[in-house]
Amino acid sequence: MDDNPALSKTRRVTVEEVEDEDGMSFTNNGRYFEPRTDAGWALHEGETSFEKYRTYQEEEGEDPWSPFEDKEEWDLAHWLVKNLGQTRAEEFLKLPITQNRSKLSFHNNRSFLQRVDKLPRGPGWTCKKVTVRGNCEDDKGEMLQEDVELWSRDPVECVKELIGNPAFKEHMAYSPAKAYADRAGQHRVIDEMWTADWWGEKQNALPEGATIAPIILSSDKTSLSQFRGDKSAWPVYMSIGNIAKAKRRQASARATVLIGYLPASKLDCFTPDARSLAGYRLFHHCMALLLQPLISAGNDGVEMVCADSWVRRIYPILAAYVADFPEQCLVSCCKENRCPKCLVAANDRGDALNSAMRDPESTKEILHKRKIGQHPPEFEANGLRAVYKPFWADLPHADIFLAFTPDLLHQLHKGVFKDHLVKWCIDIIGEDEIDARFKAIPNYPGLRHFKKGISSVKQWTGCEHKEMQRVFVGLLSGAVPSRVLVVARSILDFSYHAQLHIQTTESLEALQTALTVFHANKDILKELAVREHFNIPKLHQLSHYVQSITLLGAADGFNTELPERLHIDFAKDSYRASNKRDYEEQMALWLQRQEAVFIRSAYLDWLSQQPHSNPHDFDADSDTDSESETPNLPAAEPLQASHVLAKVPAHPHQSVQTIITAHGATEFLPALRSFLLKNLPHNTIVPGLQDRFDLYRQVVIVMPPDLRVSDVPKRRRIRATPEKLPSGRKPGTPAQFDMALIADRPRSSHLHTLEGIFLLSVRVAQVRAIFTLPHQFGTYSRALAYVEWFTPFKPPDPSSRMRQVSRSTRQLRRNAAVIHVDEIVRPCHLIPRMGQSVDLRLRSGNAYEVANDFYFNEFIDGEMFCACVIK
């Protein structure tokens, strides 16, 4: 399209693209793209808000940190706003040392805030009064009414702020494209929203060249007061699907913004029986007021300057709504005993059914008929509430029922896993047995050890639910009937597949298969009298995951954990900064000032990276522009893991006897002699008890990221530390000799990618000592490890599908060897085969010594799960 001067800028991709012969775009991360050339057209060049402000400052002769005097004063101002409330800031500014030595241009909190208020800020706040007429009479016989406040910001202006933020330039997409793992387009890849189906489908309904800003909303009522009082707030957050989900997940990036506070009134002007429905209607009325600007913008489009300094016509369209189950029912106008997405009957939610999805147009028609006095049978059949004007009724191109996204936290981790699966298993084997099994789980770096079991834990968090999942299948093996174990394994398979950051045709099939296996085996719980039915709302929601991911992208981009985290910044902290009376207005002002300081800080970061910025304006030691100097190199060999030891050994010059006794390395000398014979054949010195070795506590393996579960490198520790006895007031520490996967072949350039790890020759071993050769054996730069081997992997257990290993012995002695540290692929975790009842001698600290047979734990982390399970 020659008439579009910036066609190449329609979708920013952070890797180099190469046009393929058949029209596919191939990137150096191994994906093939089928781009949409009729979307995301740039109209003409423009200036972002940062570029405009830089021009203004240059014309006015202002310093970058104006209205503050210099960089040091700006740094102090930034610190004051971020860390001190108004009272403490006033106290600080009135200290004699502050006034006499700092020589600030502001001398009290009032003059300080006047300068803060001069900073450029985001879209402003407005307050709308909403009068609610109740059904209760006052003493005079008149109907009671209540005035509530809706605090809001223009969502279209917030979209402009987000899509035009230069900080997101490298994380922004403007058009959809289908991604594939192969050139033939047979293996679909879905991660970001622009690779999923919704964006492409909506693009077909818009003019050629249009740019969609997929609106992602989330709302959640939260308590503000602690210990006493009943103050609450109802924040509404917004982001756009153009921004990469990894950036959206970062609360500090401000890629999700607050656009309003809904009234959180108790509505005492209504009788108790009418209060609930009045609250539903008030929610929808206020949401309609809040989102009103999106109607015309979604129909006609609005020209906006994007982060890459090109102007596009943006169509903000509601795409996703992130909320927990009660909030989803509130938004969809349905009762909580029904599904907010589909028309499944109230008593059929436990079955593996494919029910028809709710339809916005038919739902609006049913509600309208109800409003004018008719009684359509679909109103009751569909489980609707009498909310006659849903806020989404007039939003263009929006399907609110398809917009609800998977809620990993409440539906999977807390819901199906903790509230149901764990409870079922406790009912089967008892609290004492399951506590004893958790206590016996061997230690692993970063794994939460429930040293008192789980029955005594009163308050759970999402992190603890995930920690339990890491060991649950292996822990149950042998204690529950085989079909119950199949049920547990299917739920954990579903959970781990649903959490993937990158989904493929195969992984989505595996996700659906896991749910199918659950439904095929769940009746065992009825036979054991553990459940009478499976009509569980959160369980039914799992049936919509594949459709939601296919439409909107991987589920990690829509988790409710982010809104709950944002409550701290945008609700709780702002409330604490108020005087607790008429707090909404004070919260809005406080947030406005916080945002102004954040914008100025982001502007200064951006300015420091510009090639024409004045060097004297910033620290000479700054390395913020180092990224821009790094060339975009083509992809070469896969990134390899690196093995890192401490610069100085923790235990230098240790005797062989210490290694044998403290580390349990009973075959150290024979193993070392065999190693030297193989690797240093010309060495004539035979190691003996007289030699001393430098020992290290651990080796850290820095592993390249597996993009299916993380976009940052992982640091995996393997410890080889002997027991430390108590000394004085310092408690002792138990011995830690971790398990590891060892390459059973010479070093390979592709070994540490973990791709298809079990297709390579690897074995499990326990690392007992990490050391270096002393100089008398010659110069040898590679660090060594003494390990005790386990058997090669045995066939998986048919119910748990977990691989099994046992300790390897030779002539009734442990099979040991000395290996190079860089032959260690990564740490691993084993779970003892505990049988029907756990051996009371078994404890976390001695499990690897007492037990002989183990399950290989493929659930210990996402990378291991991908390597073991995903083909």
Side-chain angles (χ1 to χ4, degrees), residues 313-344:
R313 180 163 288 276
I314 306 297
Y315 290 78
I317 300 173
L318 177 60
Y321 203 113
V322 181
D324 58 17
F325 181 77
E327 194 100 354
Q328 289 183 9
C329 294
L330 169 63
V331 170
S332 64
C333 307
C334 78
K335 297 176 181 178
E336 290 190 18
N337 68 340
R338 305 300 294 269
C339 174
K341 293 177 70 72
C342 74
L343 295 174
V344 64

PDB file of all heavy atoms in Angstrom, residues 313-344:
ATOM      1  N   ARG A 313      -5.802   6.825  13.446  1.00  0.00           N
ATOM      2  CA  ARG A 313      -7.197   6.935  13.885  1.00  0.00           C
ATOM      3  C   ARG A 313      -7.487   5.729  14.766  1.00  0.00           C
ATOM      4  O   ARG A 313      -7.515   4.583  14.303  1.00  0.00           O
ATOM      5  CB  ARG A 313      -8.146   7.005  12.698  1.00  0.00           C
ATOM      6  CG  ARG A 313      -9.625   7.132  13.113  1.00  0.00           C
ATOM      7  CD  ARG A 313     -10.496   7.615  11.991  1.00  0.00           C
ATOM      8  NE  ARG A 313     -10.263   9.034  11.709  1.00  0.00           N
ATOM      9  CZ  ARG A 313     -10.830  10.048  12.354  1.00  0.00           C
ATOM     10  NH1 ARG A 313     -11.672   9.803  13.354  1.00  0.00           N
ATOM     11  NH2 ARG A 313     -10.573  11.283  12.027  1.00  0.00           N
ATOM     12  N   ILE A 314      -7.693   6.000  16.043  1.00  0.00           N
ATOM     13  CA  ILE A 314      -7.831   4.964  17.060  1.00  0.00           C
ATOM     14  C   ILE A 314      -9.307   4.723  17.369  1.00  0.00           C
ATOM     15  O   ILE A 314     -10.073   5.672  17.587  1.00  0.00           O
ATOM     16  CB  ILE A 314      -7.094   5.358  18.343  1.00  0.00           C
ATOM     17  CG1 ILE A 314      -5.624   5.706  18.050  1.00  0.00           C
ATOM     18  CG2 ILE A 314      -7.192   4.250  19.383  1.00  0.00           C
ATOM     19  CD1 ILE A 314      -4.809   4.567  17.506  1.00  0.00           C
ATOM     20  N   TYR A 315      -9.677   3.446  17.397  1.00  0.00           N
ATOM     21  CA  TYR A 315     -11.038   3.035  17.772  1.00  0.00           C
ATOM     22  C   TYR A 315     -10.947   2.268  19.094  1.00  0.00           C
ATOM     23  O   TYR A 315     -10.603   1.082  19.099  1.00  0.00           O
ATOM     24  CB  TYR A 315     -11.638   2.139  16.693  1.00  0.00           C
ATOM     25  CG  TYR A 315     -11.963   2.857  15.406  1.00  0.00           C
ATOM     26  CD1 TYR A 315     -10.964   3.173  14.491  1.00  0.00           C
ATOM     27  CD2 TYR A 315     -13.271   3.217  15.089  1.00  0.00           C
ATOM     28  CE1 TYR A 315     -11.256   3.838  13.306  1.00  0.00           C
ATOM     29  CE2 TYR A 315     -13.579   3.883  13.909  1.00  0.00           C
ATOM     30  CZ  TYR A 315     -12.557   4.193  13.025  1.00  0.00           C
ATOM     31  OH  TYR A 315     -12.849   4.857  11.855  1.00  0.00           O
ATOM     32  N   PRO A 316     -11.225   2.921  20.217  1.00  0.00           N
ATOM     33  CA  PRO A 316     -11.196   2.203  21.505  1.00  0.00           C
ATOM     34  C   PRO A 316     -12.441   1.340  21.658  1.00  0.00           C
ATOM     35  O   PRO A 316     -13.563   1.846  21.686  1.00  0.00           O
ATOM     36  CB  PRO A 316     -11.141   3.321  22.543  1.00  0.00           C
ATOM     37  CG  PRO A 316     -11.716   4.522  21.853  1.00  0.00           C
ATOM     38  CD  PRO A 316     -11.514   4.351  20.388  1.00  0.00           C
ATOM     39  N   ILE A 317     -12.246   0.037  21.742  1.00  0.00           N
ATOM     40  CA  ILE A 317     -13.357  -0.916  21.800  1.00  0.00           C
ATOM     41  C   ILE A 317     -13.156  -1.824  23.006  1.00  0.00           C
ATOM     42  O   ILE A 317     -12.064  -2.371  23.206  1.00  0.00           O
ATOM     43  CB  ILE A 317     -13.420  -1.753  20.507  1.00  0.00           C
ATOM     44  CG1 ILE A 317     -13.630  -0.848  19.285  1.00  0.00           C
ATOM     45  CG2 ILE A 317     -14.530  -2.801  20.585  1.00  0.00           C
ATOM     46  CD1 ILE A 317     -13.541  -1.591  17.968  1.00  0.00           C
ATOM     47  N   LEU A 318     -14.216  -1.998  23.793  1.00  0.00           N
ATOM     48  CA  LEU A 318     -14.128  -2.883  24.953  1.00  0.00           C
ATOM     49  C   LEU A 318     -13.866  -4.309  24.491  1.00  0.00           C
ATOM     50  O   LEU A 318     -14.656  -4.896  23.751  1.00  0.00           O
ATOM     51  CB  LEU A 318     -15.424  -2.820  25.764  1.00  0.00           C
ATOM     52  CG  LEU A 318     -15.498  -3.763  26.966  1.00  0.00           C
ATOM     53  CD1 LEU A 318     -14.387  -3.467  27.971  1.00  0.00           C
ATOM     54  CD2 LEU A 318     -16.864  -3.686  27.643  1.00  0.00           C
ATOM     55  N   ALA A 319     -12.737  -4.871  24.938  1.00  0.00           N
ATOM     56  CA  ALA A 319     -12.345  -6.214  24.518  1.00  0.00           C
ATOM     57  C   ALA A 319     -12.369  -7.208  25.666  1.00  0.00           C
ATOM     58  O   ALA A 319     -12.793  -8.353  25.494  1.00  0.00           O
ATOM     59  CB  ALA A 319     -10.941  -6.177  23.912  1.00  0.00           C
ATOM     60  N   ALA A 320     -11.923  -6.793  26.838  1.00  0.00           N
ATOM     61  CA  ALA A 320     -11.759  -7.731  27.952  1.00  0.00           C
ATOM     62  C   ALA A 320     -12.210  -7.068  29.247  1.00  0.00           C
ATOM     63  O   ALA A 320     -12.036  -5.855  29.433  1.00  0.00           O
ATOM     64  CB  ALA A 320     -10.309  -8.186  28.072  1.00  0.00           C
ATOM     65  N   TYR A 321     -12.781  -7.888  30.121  1.00  0.00           N
ATOM     66  CA  TYR A 321     -13.198  -7.401  31.444  1.00  0.00           C
ATOM     67  C   TYR A 321     -12.663  -8.379  32.478  1.00  0.00           C
ATOM     68  O   TYR A 321     -13.039  -9.547  32.496  1.00  0.00           O
ATOM     69  CB  TYR A 321     -14.725  -7.305  31.537  1.00  0.00           C
ATOM     70  CG  TYR A 321     -15.199  -6.340  32.602  1.00  0.00           C
ATOM     71  CD1 TYR A 321     -15.863  -5.173  32.273  1.00  0.00           C
ATOM     72  CD2 TYR A 321     -14.978  -6.595  33.955  1.00  0.00           C
ATOM     73  CE1 TYR A 321     -16.296  -4.276  33.230  1.00  0.00           C
ATOM     74  CE2 TYR A 321     -15.404  -5.705  34.930  1.00  0.00           C
ATOM     75  CZ  TYR A 321     -16.070  -4.544  34.558  1.00  0.00           C
ATOM     76  OH  TYR A 321     -16.495  -3.661  35.531  1.00  0.00           O
ATOM     77  N   VAL A 322     -11.758  -7.885  33.320  1.00  0.00           N
ATOM     78  CA  VAL A 322     -11.095  -8.715  34.331  1.00  0.00           C
ATOM     79  C   VAL A 322     -11.818  -8.520  35.658  1.00  0.00           C
ATOM     80  O   VAL A 322     -11.858  -7.415  36.202  1.00  0.00           O
ATOM     81  CB  VAL A 322      -9.611  -8.330  34.463  1.00  0.00           C
ATOM     82  CG1 VAL A 322      -8.917  -9.210  35.488  1.00  0.00           C
ATOM     83  CG2 VAL A 322      -8.910  -8.413  33.110  1.00  0.00           C
ATOM     84  N   ALA A 323     -12.404  -9.591  36.166  1.00  0.00           N
ATOM     85  CA  ALA A 323     -13.166  -9.486  37.420  1.00  0.00           C
ATOM     86  C   ALA A 323     -13.321 -10.875  38.018  1.00  0.00           C
ATOM     87  O   ALA A 323     -13.201 -11.892  37.317  1.00  0.00           O
ATOM     88  CB  ALA A 323     -14.534  -8.854  37.165  1.00  0.00           C
ATOM     89  N   ASP A 324     -13.606 -10.911  39.317  1.00  0.00           N
ATOM     90  CA  ASP A 324     -13.897 -12.198  39.934  1.00  0.00           C
ATOM     91  C   ASP A 324     -15.335 -12.601  39.609  1.00  0.00           C
ATOM     92  O   ASP A 324     -16.083 -11.855  38.961  1.00  0.00           O
ATOM     93  CB  ASP A 324     -13.641 -12.157  41.442  1.00  0.00           C
ATOM     94  CG  ASP A 324     -14.462 -11.093  42.166  1.00  0.00           C
ATOM     95  OD1 ASP A 324     -15.455 -10.594  41.591  1.00  0.00           O
ATOM     96  OD2 ASP A 324     -14.114 -10.735  43.303  1.00  0.00           O
ATOM     97  N   PHE A 325     -15.738 -13.776  40.051  1.00  0.00           N
ATOM     98  CA  PHE A 325     -17.028 -14.330  39.628  1.00  0.00           C
ATOM     99  C   PHE A 325     -18.222 -13.457  40.040  1.00  0.00           C
ATOM    100  O   PHE A 325     -19.092 -13.175  39.198  1.00  0.00           O
ATOM    101  CB  PHE A 325     -17.198 -15.754  40.163  1.00  0.00           C
ATOM    102  CG  PHE A 325     -18.485 -16.403  39.760  1.00  0.00           C
ATOM    103  CD1 PHE A 325     -18.648 -16.897  38.474  1.00  0.00           C
ATOM    104  CD2 PHE A 325     -19.537 -16.518  40.657  1.00  0.00           C
ATOM    105  CE1 PHE A 325     -19.838 -17.501  38.087  1.00  0.00           C
ATOM    106  CE2 PHE A 325     -20.727 -17.111  40.283  1.00  0.00           C
ATOM    107  CZ  PHE A 325     -20.882 -17.608  38.996  1.00  0.00           C
ATOM    108  N   PRO A 326     -18.340 -13.003  41.294  1.00  0.00           N
ATOM    109  CA  PRO A 326     -19.484 -12.144  41.638  1.00  0.00           C
ATOM    110  C   PRO A 326     -19.535 -10.871  40.793  1.00  0.00           C
ATOM    111  O   PRO A 326     -20.625 -10.435  40.393  1.00  0.00           O
ATOM    112  CB  PRO A 326     -19.260 -11.832  43.124  1.00  0.00           C
ATOM    113  CG  PRO A 326     -18.401 -12.928  43.627  1.00  0.00           C
ATOM    114  CD  PRO A 326     -17.515 -13.290  42.485  1.00  0.00           C
ATOM    115  N   GLU A 327     -18.358 -10.293  40.517  1.00  0.00           N
ATOM    116  CA  GLU A 327     -18.346  -9.072  39.709  1.00  0.00           C
ATOM    117  C   GLU A 327     -18.727  -9.375  38.259  1.00  0.00           C
ATOM    118  O   GLU A 327     -19.399  -8.574  37.607  1.00  0.00           O
ATOM    119  CB  GLU A 327     -16.959  -8.433  39.764  1.00  0.00           C
ATOM    120  CG  GLU A 327     -16.908  -7.006  39.255  1.00  0.00           C
ATOM    121  CD  GLU A 327     -16.907  -5.988  40.388  1.00  0.00           C
ATOM    122  OE1 GLU A 327     -17.052  -6.399  41.551  1.00  0.00           O
ATOM    123  OE2 GLU A 327     -16.778  -4.798  40.102  1.00  0.00           O
ATOM    124  N   GLN A 328     -18.345 -10.536  37.752  1.00  0.00           N
ATOM    125  CA  GLN A 328     -18.754 -10.920  36.401  1.00  0.00           C
ATOM    126  C   GLN A 328     -20.271 -11.059  36.315  1.00  0.00           C
ATOM    127  O   GLN A 328     -20.892 -10.616  35.330  1.00  0.00           O
ATOM    128  CB  GLN A 328     -18.083 -12.237  35.999  1.00  0.00           C
ATOM    129  CG  GLN A 328     -16.601 -12.141  35.740  1.00  0.00           C
ATOM    130  CD  GLN A 328     -16.014 -13.474  35.270  1.00  0.00           C
ATOM    131  OE1 GLN A 328     -16.744 -14.414  34.981  1.00  0.00           O
ATOM    132  NE2 GLN A 328     -14.695 -13.543  35.200  1.00  0.00           N
ATOM    133  N   CYS A 329     -20.873 -11.659  37.332  1.00  0.00           N
ATOM    134  CA  CYS A 329     -22.332 -11.782  37.342  1.00  0.00           C
ATOM    135  C   CYS A 329     -22.994 -10.416  37.427  1.00  0.00           C
ATOM    136  O   CYS A 329     -24.028 -10.174  36.779  1.00  0.00           O
ATOM    137  CB  CYS A 329     -22.768 -12.658  38.511  1.00  0.00           C
ATOM    138  SG  CYS A 329     -22.247 -14.388  38.364  1.00  0.00           S
ATOM    139  N   LEU A 330     -22.413  -9.522  38.196  1.00  0.00           N
ATOM    140  CA  LEU A 330     -22.932  -8.155  38.295  1.00  0.00           C
ATOM    141  C   LEU A 330     -22.885  -7.468  36.939  1.00  0.00           C
ATOM    142  O   LEU A 330     -23.854  -6.824  36.509  1.00  0.00           O
ATOM    143  CB  LEU A 330     -22.116  -7.381  39.327  1.00  0.00           C
ATOM    144  CG  LEU A 330     -22.311  -5.871  39.409  1.00  0.00           C
ATOM    145  CD1 LEU A 330     -23.734  -5.531  39.818  1.00  0.00           C
ATOM    146  CD2 LEU A 330     -21.330  -5.255  40.397  1.00  0.00           C
ATOM    147  N   VAL A 331     -21.775  -7.595  36.245  1.00  0.00           N
ATOM    148  CA  VAL A 331     -21.604  -6.931  34.948  1.00  0.00           C
ATOM    149  C   VAL A 331     -22.541  -7.518  33.900  1.00  0.00           C
ATOM    150  O   VAL A 331     -23.114  -6.793  33.083  1.00  0.00           O
ATOM    151  CB  VAL A 331     -20.135  -7.044  34.494  1.00  0.00           C
ATOM    152  CG1 VAL A 331     -19.960  -6.585  33.055  1.00  0.00           C
ATOM    153  CG2 VAL A 331     -19.233  -6.225  35.414  1.00  0.00           C
ATOM    154  N   SER A 332     -22.719  -8.844  33.918  1.00  0.00           N
ATOM    155  CA  SER A 332     -23.532  -9.498  32.886  1.00  0.00           C
ATOM    156  C   SER A 332     -25.017  -9.492  33.192  1.00  0.00           C
ATOM    157  O   SER A 332     -25.806 -10.012  32.406  1.00  0.00           O
ATOM    158  CB  SER A 332     -23.062 -10.943  32.697  1.00  0.00           C
ATOM    159  OG  SER A 332     -23.268 -11.682  33.882  1.00  0.00           O
ATOM    160  N   CYS A 333     -25.416  -8.929  34.356  1.00  0.00           N
ATOM    161  CA  CYS A 333     -26.830  -8.824  34.758  1.00  0.00           C
ATOM    162  C   CYS A 333     -27.450 -10.194  35.003  1.00  0.00           C
ATOM    163  O   CYS A 333     -28.656 -10.386  34.771  1.00  0.00           O
ATOM    164  CB  CYS A 333     -27.656  -8.070  33.722  1.00  0.00           C
ATOM    165  SG  CYS A 333     -27.008  -6.460  33.260  1.00  0.00           S
ATOM    166  N   CYS A 334     -26.652 -11.163  35.449  1.00  0.00           N
ATOM    167  CA  CYS A 334     -27.213 -12.493  35.725  1.00  0.00           C
ATOM    168  C   CYS A 334     -27.066 -12.820  37.209  1.00  0.00           C
ATOM    169  O   CYS A 334     -26.280 -12.205  37.930  1.00  0.00           O
ATOM    170  CB  CYS A 334     -26.544 -13.552  34.864  1.00  0.00           C
ATOM    171  SG  CYS A 334     -24.908 -14.066  35.427  1.00  0.00           S
ATOM    172  N   LYS A 335     -27.847 -13.796  37.637  1.00  0.00           N
ATOM    173  CA  LYS A 335     -27.789 -14.242  39.021  1.00  0.00           C
ATOM    174  C   LYS A 335     -26.519 -15.061  39.248  1.00  0.00           C
ATOM    175  O   LYS A 335     -25.951 -15.620  38.310  1.00  0.00           O
ATOM    176  CB  LYS A 335     -29.024 -15.091  39.342  1.00  0.00           C
ATOM    177  CG  LYS A 335     -30.331 -14.314  39.225  1.00  0.00           C
ATOM    178  CD  LYS A 335     -31.529 -15.215  39.464  1.00  0.00           C
ATOM    179  CE  LYS A 335     -32.823 -14.430  39.316  1.00  0.00           C
ATOM    180  NZ  LYS A 335     -34.029 -15.297  39.492  1.00  0.00           N
ATOM    181  N   GLU A 336     -26.097 -15.139  40.509  1.00  0.00           N
ATOM    182  CA  GLU A 336     -24.835 -15.798  40.803  1.00  0.00           C
ATOM    183  C   GLU A 336     -24.920 -17.319  40.777  1.00  0.00           C
ATOM    184  O   GLU A 336     -23.910 -17.990  40.923  1.00  0.00           O
ATOM    185  CB  GLU A 336     -24.289 -15.324  42.155  1.00  0.00           C
ATOM    186  CG  GLU A 336     -23.821 -13.877  42.122  1.00  0.00           C
ATOM    187  CD  GLU A 336     -23.059 -13.470  43.367  1.00  0.00           C
ATOM    188  OE1 GLU A 336     -22.606 -14.366  44.099  1.00  0.00           O
ATOM    189  OE2 GLU A 336     -22.924 -12.255  43.602  1.00  0.00           O
ATOM    190  N   ASN A 337     -26.116 -17.861  40.582  1.00  0.00           N
ATOM    191  CA  ASN A 337     -26.214 -19.313  40.401  1.00  0.00           C
ATOM    192  C   ASN A 337     -26.199 -19.685  38.926  1.00  0.00           C
ATOM    193  O   ASN A 337     -26.496 -20.822  38.556  1.00  0.00           O
ATOM    194  CB  ASN A 337     -27.472 -19.852  41.074  1.00  0.00           C
ATOM    195  CG  ASN A 337     -28.739 -19.377  40.382  1.00  0.00           C
ATOM    196  OD1 ASN A 337     -28.725 -18.381  39.647  1.00  0.00           O
ATOM    197  ND2 ASN A 337     -29.841 -20.066  40.627  1.00  0.00           N
ATOM    198  N   ARG A 338     -25.822 -18.727  38.076  1.00  0.00           N
ATOM    199  CA  ARG A 338     -25.738 -18.956  36.636  1.00  0.00           C
ATOM    200  C   ARG A 338     -24.355 -18.564  36.134  1.00  0.00           C
ATOM    201  O   ARG A 338     -23.583 -17.910  36.818  1.00  0.00           O
ATOM    202  CB  ARG A 338     -26.809 -18.144  35.898  1.00  0.00           C
ATOM    203  CG  ARG A 338     -28.215 -18.392  36.381  1.00  0.00           C
ATOM    204  CD  ARG A 338     -28.613 -19.858  36.217  1.00  0.00           C
ATOM    205  NE  ARG A 338     -28.679 -20.238  34.819  1.00  0.00           N
ATOM    206  CZ  ARG A 338     -29.786 -20.158  34.079  1.00  0.00           C
ATOM    207  NH1 ARG A 338     -30.924 -19.734  34.636  1.00  0.00           N
ATOM    208  NH2 ARG A 338     -29.770 -20.517  32.814  1.00  0.00           N
ATOM    209  N   CYS A 339     -24.066 -18.973  34.904  1.00  0.00           N
ATOM    210  CA  CYS A 339     -22.784 -18.625  34.287  1.00  0.00           C
ATOM    211  C   CYS A 339     -22.900 -17.261  33.623  1.00  0.00           C
ATOM    212  O   CYS A 339     -23.853 -17.020  32.863  1.00  0.00           O
ATOM    213  CB  CYS A 339     -22.386 -19.674  33.254  1.00  0.00           C
ATOM    214  SG  CYS A 339     -20.910 -19.235  32.309  1.00  0.00           S
ATOM    215  N   PRO A 340     -21.963 -16.345  33.878  1.00  0.00           N
ATOM    216  CA  PRO A 340     -22.030 -15.021  33.250  1.00  0.00           C
ATOM    217  C   PRO A 340     -21.662 -15.024  31.772  1.00  0.00           C
ATOM    218  O   PRO A 340     -21.819 -14.005  31.103  1.00  0.00           O
ATOM    219  CB  PRO A 340     -21.018 -14.198  34.061  1.00  0.00           C
ATOM    220  CG  PRO A 340     -20.056 -15.204  34.591  1.00  0.00           C
ATOM    221  CD  PRO A 340     -20.845 -16.456  34.826  1.00  0.00           C
ATOM    222  N   LYS A 341     -21.191 -16.161  31.247  1.00  0.00           N
ATOM    223  CA  LYS A 341     -20.768 -16.217  29.847  1.00  0.00           C
ATOM    224  C   LYS A 341     -21.727 -17.003  28.953  1.00  0.00           C
ATOM    225  O   LYS A 341     -21.919 -16.659  27.795  1.00  0.00           O
ATOM    226  CB  LYS A 341     -19.365 -16.839  29.734  1.00  0.00           C
ATOM    227  CG  LYS A 341     -18.254 -15.992  30.329  1.00  0.00           C
ATOM    228  CD  LYS A 341     -16.900 -16.683  30.246  1.00  0.00           C
ATOM    229  CE  LYS A 341     -16.380 -16.779  28.839  1.00  0.00           C
ATOM    230  NZ  LYS A 341     -15.929 -15.498  28.289  1.00  0.00           N
ATOM    231  N   CYS A 342     -22.308 -18.091  29.495  1.00  0.00           N
ATOM    232  CA  CYS A 342     -23.134 -18.951  28.649  1.00  0.00           C
ATOM    233  C   CYS A 342     -24.471 -19.225  29.312  1.00  0.00           C
ATOM    234  O   CYS A 342     -24.734 -18.811  30.440  1.00  0.00           O
ATOM    235  CB  CYS A 342     -22.394 -20.248  28.328  1.00  0.00           C
ATOM    236  SG  CYS A 342     -22.305 -21.415  29.701  1.00  0.00           S
ATOM    237  N   LEU A 343     -25.328 -19.969  28.591  1.00  0.00           N
ATOM    238  CA  LEU A 343     -26.705 -20.205  29.027  1.00  0.00           C
ATOM    239  C   LEU A 343     -26.875 -21.582  29.654  1.00  0.00           C
ATOM    240  O   LEU A 343     -27.982 -22.121  29.652  1.00  0.00           O
ATOM    241  CB  LEU A 343     -27.654 -20.053  27.834  1.00  0.00           C
ATOM    242  CG  LEU A 343     -27.734 -18.642  27.243  1.00  0.00           C
ATOM    243  CD1 LEU A 343     -28.579 -18.631  25.981  1.00  0.00           C
ATOM    244  CD2 LEU A 343     -28.305 -17.668  28.265  1.00  0.00           C
ATOM    245  N   VAL A 344     -25.837 -22.162  30.195  1.00  0.00           N
ATOM    246  CA  VAL A 344     -25.953 -23.456  30.849  1.00  0.00           C
ATOM    247  C   VAL A 344     -26.974 -23.359  31.978  1.00  0.00           C
ATOM    248  O   VAL A 344     -27.070 -22.348  32.680  1.00  0.00           O
ATOM    249  CB  VAL A 344     -24.585 -23.920  31.380  1.00  0.00           C
ATOM    250  CG1 VAL A 344     -24.067 -22.985  32.471  1.00  0.00           C
ATOM    251  CG2 VAL A 344     -24.651 -25.348  31.892  1.00  0.00           C
TER     252      VAL A 344
END
